[in-house]
Amino acid sequence: MLRLDVVAMPLALARVATILAHRRFEVLTMDVATPVDGLRRITIEVDTADEIRLEQLVKFLNRSPDVVKVVRLSDDKSHNRRGAFVKVTFPEGRLPEAVAIARAFSAEIVEADRTRCTVFAAVEPARLDALVKALSGFTIRELVMAAPLRISRPHRRGYAAADRSQTWAQS
């Protein structure tokens, strides 16, 4: 996952997309944020496990005059969430079951009646997949997912980088 800070100009996004296309990267998701202070934040998920190709892509992006900064967001150094709306229908009387499933996954029911409901969740991607699987016992009428949202974790003193399972050190 890459996070780019790009100058908020009309062709900047097109130039970034051209770099990805010329290097033959398949874009899985791309989220483009509203400009803030003249910069637009773009989060891109590309389909590659090749570290060398990914490093080359970062170098090409950094050479673009529109790109101010490129940051790689790895799973262990960032918070990762994905949002989704799921519309489900079910036989009358099964709404409590749908509500229980939503609560179990920290999701909320945003609209409901006797035979249908809309569930919203913003959780880790694996947890969202599990929610959709749990709701598949009903009829899923519509599923709308947002691109993954990532933000880097703050670096804290006393955190043992070698063993991520350790707790924060006492200061």
Side-chain angles (χ1 to χ4, degrees):
M1 183 82 62
L2 300 175
R3 187 188 73 213
L4 288 67
D5 289 336
V6 178
V7 177
M9 295 179 60
L11 292 177
L13 180 60
R15 288 187 191 107
V16 168
T18 300
I19 291 170
L20 293 165
H22 280 135
R23 304 301 179 270
R24 296 181 185 247
F25 278 92
E26 182 180 348
V27 176
L28 300 175
T29 62
M30 180 183 285
D31 180 62
V32 182
T34 303
V36 175
D37 295 332
L39 294 178
R40 185 180 298 276
R41 179 157 287 173
I42 302 172
T43 306
I44 303 170
E45 182 180 14
V46 292
D47 185 21
T48 185
D50 187 347
E51 286 296 316
I52 295 171
R53 281 193 74 217
L54 198 55
E55 283 300 320
Q56 288 175 340
L57 176 61
V58 169
K59 288 178 184 177
F60 284 121
L61 289 167
N62 274 320
R63 288 185 198 144
S64 173
D66 300 316
V67 176
V68 176
K69 182 178 178 183
V70 178
V71 176
R72 289 183 60 186
L73 296 171
S74 61
D75 288 341
D76 61 338
K77 294 183 180 178
S78 63
H79 297 287
N80 184 10
R81 300 290 185 273
R82 189 164 196 165
F85 283 102
V86 186
K87 283 187 180 180
V88 294
T89 58
F90 39 78
E92 194 168 329
R94 292 192 63 196
L95 177 60
E97 187 179 338
V99 171
I101 291 171
R103 285 187 182 151
F105 288 93
S106 303
E108 66 177 293
I109 305 290
V110 294
E111 177 185 24
D113 66 20
R114 296 174 304 148
T115 60
R116 63 188 165 98
C117 70
T118 302
V119 179
F120 173 75
V123 294
E124 296 86 4
R127 194 161 167 84
L128 184 58
D129 292 342
L131 169 64
V132 171
K133 185 175 181 182
L135 290 171
S136 67
F138 305 118
T139 303
I140 296 177
R141 293 288 181 197
E142 191 172 356
L143 173 63
V144 178
M145 288 188 175
L149 300 171
R150 285 201 187 228
I151 191 168
S152 59
R153 295 176 190 249
H155 179 71
R156 301 196 184 196
R157 287 185 23 215
Y159 182 63
D163 183 7
R164 304 238 183 261
S165 64
Q166 290 182 347
T167 58
W168 298 105
Q170 299 293 323
S171 299

